[in-house]
Amino acid sequence: DDRAWHAGTSSYRGRSNCNDDSIGIELEGTEGSPFEAAQYETLASLCAALPQRYAIRHIAGHEHIAPERKNDPGKGFEWAVLQQSLSWPPQYFPAGVA
């Protein structure tokens, strides 16, 4: 319920200062490397639980909100796997990834 500090200078879908209204979730890994099935399972469980407390409008990576500075989760992250696990419509995800 406190302000996030993970995004830094950021902008997404016409809004700047993503720290003001975002939830940061850290995934262990290296940009471009594949993520493990257990990471997708845990992330999907967490994402499914968040709307029970917060109004979730979008899911995005640092690479989408601060593309000049950040590259994560990177090409190794399969957005379609997360979207299929959640059964959420594509408009929740960055354009072209799910």
Side-chain angles (χ1 to χ4, degrees), residues 42-98:
T42 302
L43 179 60
S45 294
L46 177 57
C47 289
L50 287 172
Q52 296 174 30
R53 181 170 173 117
Y54 303 100
I56 304 297
R57 291 189 207 113
H58 308 289
I59 297 176
H62 281 139
E63 64 190 321
H64 305 107
I65 64 171
E68 297 84 34
R69 297 182 307 104
K70 298 189 178 216
N71 299 314
D72 59 310
K75 295 179 185 201
F77 187 78
E78 297 181 46
W79 287 94
V81 170
L82 179 60
Q83 193 230 350
Q84 290 169 354
S85 296
L86 291 170
S87 298
W88 290 3
Q91 64 262 25
Y92 280 89
F93 298 88
V97 299

